[in-house]
């Protein structure tokens, strides 16, 4: 038995569970998952409810298998059996349901969290404000691509709380997806004045692209490309600003530059093997456009030109 576990046991015996939980979190910070989970279990056995949520959050965010796809739900349910008005854990449970693909249930839990603000338990002060819960619901709607519902909730949010950087960004995104590009630009500009975000710049580029302002759209997309290395696990976003950069160049009459972006997009998508239908469509579109440009015979494919083919005689010698 480790020193940390012995210390935790003493804390619990002295009814100082708060310090035991701090110790568990320190072990987690040092990647000592065995001690971390063991201390949490000792606290759960002592009916210390914050440890129940902590363990649920571990499986929600950190465990590789998310407890075989449970995403901490059983721990959040256990917590809510004891404290059913916990806004914090209702929101935790909403995210678990969302991660399992139960989107309607997740949204219902977020609505429930908003309702509980009228009479939440004084035992536990919510970590997040009512305003943040409302925004959390909106973000779940956006992630599930329910854009009409997201926009309706954003308008309600704006009426109740006024506009802010995040609401301006999301309203701009939703309006752009709805084809209301001029209105979308107004919101996106407001958001980008506070902070340049890749999502905001990409959406601004898309709005300008749809308005056929290709030169300005390309500037936005190039800005996104400069920060491309910072984007994790969003192939759809990276593909969008790269392939549209190519078609901005095509529309501006710069086929040589277009080939550069087409090659990059084609190579990038090739690396990912089987693609979702929308990305497969983009791959085909880029391939056809590259072929069309090359058939004109006015542009050299620099990437293709780097490939050296051996003569038959040289090949035979190598073999």
């Amino acid at each position: 038995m480790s020193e940390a576990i012995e210390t935790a046991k003493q804390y619990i015996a002295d009814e100082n569970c708060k310090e035991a939980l701090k110790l568990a979190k320190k072990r987690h910070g040092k990647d000592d998952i065995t001690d971390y989970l063991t201390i949490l279990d000792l606290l759960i056995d002592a009916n210390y409810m914050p440890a129940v949520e902590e363990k649920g959050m571990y499986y929600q965010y950190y465990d590789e298998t998310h407890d075989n796809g449970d995403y901490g739900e059983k721990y959040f349910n256990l917590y809510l059996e004891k404290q059913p008005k916990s806004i914090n854990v209702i929101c935790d449970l909403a995210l678990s349901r969302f991660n399992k693909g139960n989107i309607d249930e997740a949204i219902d839990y977020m609505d429930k969290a908003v309702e509980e603000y009228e009479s939440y338990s004084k035992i536990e002060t919510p970590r997040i404000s009512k305003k943040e819960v409302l925004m959390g619901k909106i973000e779940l709607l956006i992630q599930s691509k329910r854009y009409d519902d997201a926009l309706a909730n954003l308008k309600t949010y704006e009426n109740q709380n006024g506009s802010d950087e995040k609401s301006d960004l999301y309203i701009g995104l939703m309006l752009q997806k709805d084809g209301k590009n001029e209105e979308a630009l107004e919101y996106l500009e407001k958001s980008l004045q506070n902070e340049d975000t890749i999502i905001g710049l990409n959406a601004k580029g898309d709005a300008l692209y749809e308005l056929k302002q290709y030169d300005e759209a390309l500037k936005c997309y190039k800005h996104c490309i400069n920060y491309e290395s910072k984007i994790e696990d969003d192939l759809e976003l990276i593909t969008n600003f790269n392939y549209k950069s190519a078609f901005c160049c095509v529309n501006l009459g710069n086929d040589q530059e277009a080939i550069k972006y087409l090659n990059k997009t084609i190579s990038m998508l090739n690396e990912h093997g089987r693609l979702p239908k929308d990305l497969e469509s983009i791959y085909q579109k880029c391939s056809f456009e590259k072929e069309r440009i090359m058939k004109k015979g006015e542009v050299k494919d620099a990437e293709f030109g780097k490939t050296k083919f051996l003569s038959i005689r040289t090949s035979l010698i190598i073999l």
Side-chain angles (χ1 to χ4, degrees), residues 48-101:
Y48 188 63
M49 298 311 294
V52 177
E53 186 190 12
E54 176 71 20
K55 192 165 184 182
M57 291 176 72
Y58 168 73
Y59 288 119
Q60 178 90 274
Y61 297 106
Y62 302 105
D63 183 58
E64 285 186 7
T65 70
H66 302 286
D67 198 15
N68 295 317
D70 187 63
Y71 289 92
E73 183 171 344
K74 65 186 175 187
Y75 295 101
F76 301 140
N77 282 327
L78 176 62
Y79 191 107
L80 290 170
E81 286 176 12
K82 301 284 182 69
Q83 294 185 24
K85 290 183 176 291
S86 169
I87 292 168
N88 298 330
V89 180
I90 291 171
C91 291
D92 292 335
L93 182 57
L95 187 55
S96 290
R97 300 307 292 159
F98 183 84
N99 286 328
K100 290 181 175 183

Side-chain angles (χ1 to χ4, degrees), residues 90-92 94-95 105-115 128 132-138 140:
I90 291 171
C91 291
D92 292 335
L95 187 55
E105 287 184 35
I107 300 302
D108 287 344
Y109 278 117
M110 294 304 286
D111 286 335
K112 183 178 180 182
V114 173
E115 291 170 8
I128 55 178
E132 289 171 321
V133 174
L134 288 167
M135 184 55 72
K137 174 186 174 182
I138 289 164
L140 291 185

Side-chain angles (χ1 to χ4, degrees), residues 278-313:
D278 54 345
L279 291 181
E280 178 63 34
S281 177
I282 290 171
Y283 178 86
Q284 295 296 336
K285 184 176 181 179
C286 289
S287 298
F288 290 144
E289 186 61 24
K290 178 180 176 180
E291 184 179 359
R292 184 193 70 79
I293 292 172
M294 298 309 297
K295 278 183 177 178
K296 290 163 64 177
E298 299 171 0
V299 171
K300 289 185 178 181
D301 185 348
E303 183 174 312
F304 183 79
K306 291 177 185 175
T307 305
K308 294 181 179 179
F309 292 93
L310 302 174
S311 67
I312 293 177
R313 181 175 178 277

Side-chain angles (χ1 to χ4, degrees), residues 247-262:
F247 283 90
C248 282
C249 292
V250 169
N251 283 290
L252 291 167
N254 190 345
D255 285 351
Q256 185 66 65
E257 189 76 357
I259 285 293
K260 180 181 78 174
Y261 291 117
L262 289 169

Side-chain angles (χ1 to χ4, degrees), residues 45-191:
D45 289 342
N47 292 315
Y48 188 63
M49 298 311 294
V52 177
E53 186 190 12
E54 176 71 20
K55 192 165 184 182
M57 291 176 72
Y58 168 73
Y59 288 119
Q60 178 90 274
Y61 297 106
Y62 302 105
D63 183 58
E64 285 186 7
T65 70
H66 302 286
D67 198 15
N68 295 317
D70 187 63
Y71 289 92
E73 183 171 344
K74 65 186 175 187
Y75 295 101
F76 301 140
N77 282 327
L78 176 62
Y79 191 107
L80 290 170
E81 286 176 12
K82 301 284 182 69
Q83 294 185 24
K85 290 183 176 291
S86 169
I87 292 168
N88 298 330
V89 180
I90 291 171
C91 291
D92 292 335
L93 182 57
L95 187 55
S96 290
R97 300 307 292 159
F98 183 84
N99 286 328
K100 290 181 175 183
N102 298 304
I103 296 165
D104 289 335
E105 287 184 35
I107 300 302
D108 287 344
Y109 278 117
M110 294 304 286
D111 286 335
K112 183 178 180 182
V114 173
E115 291 170 8
E116 292 296 347
Y117 257 95
E118 305 304 321
S119 59
Y120 69 80
S121 171
K122 301 301 180 183
I123 297 172
E124 177 191 290
T125 302
R127 284 191 302 271
I128 55 178
S129 66
K130 185 176 181 179
K131 176 180 171 180
E132 289 171 321
V133 174
L134 288 167
M135 184 55 72
K137 174 186 174 182
I138 289 164
E139 289 174 337
L140 291 185
L141 288 168
I142 292 171
Q143 288 182 58
S144 59
K145 299 189 175 181
R146 289 167 55 170
Y147 301 129
D148 289 342
D149 289 340
L151 184 56
N153 277 270
L154 279 162
K155 291 296 186 181
T156 301
Y157 175 95
E158 191 178 37
N159 290 335
Q160 292 179 0
N161 303 287
S163 65
D164 56 43
E165 178 186 325
K166 191 173 278 191
S167 67
D168 286 339
L169 172 61
Y170 289 152
I171 290 174
L173 289 173
M174 297 305 98
L175 288 170
Q176 196 285 313
K177 290 183 181 297
D178 198 32
K180 297 174 181 175
N181 293 296
E182 294 280 8
E183 193 178 350
L185 284 172
E186 293 177 18
Y187 280 97
L188 291 168
E189 290 288 6
K190 283 170 62 181
S191 174

Side-chain angles (χ1 to χ4, degrees), residues 1-12 19-28 30 32 34-40 42-43:
M1 187 178 296
S2 73
E3 182 180 340
I5 293 173
E6 289 284 6
T7 303
K9 282 186 170 183
Q10 189 58 54
Y11 280 138
I12 294 167
E19 285 301 315
L21 182 57
K22 283 183 183 178
L23 179 58
K25 290 179 178 180
K26 285 180 183 177
R27 300 319 302 161
H28 189 199
K30 293 183 180 295
D32 185 350
T34 300
D35 275 11
Y36 168 66
L37 293 176
T38 299
I39 295 170
L40 290 183
L42 291 170
L43 286 164

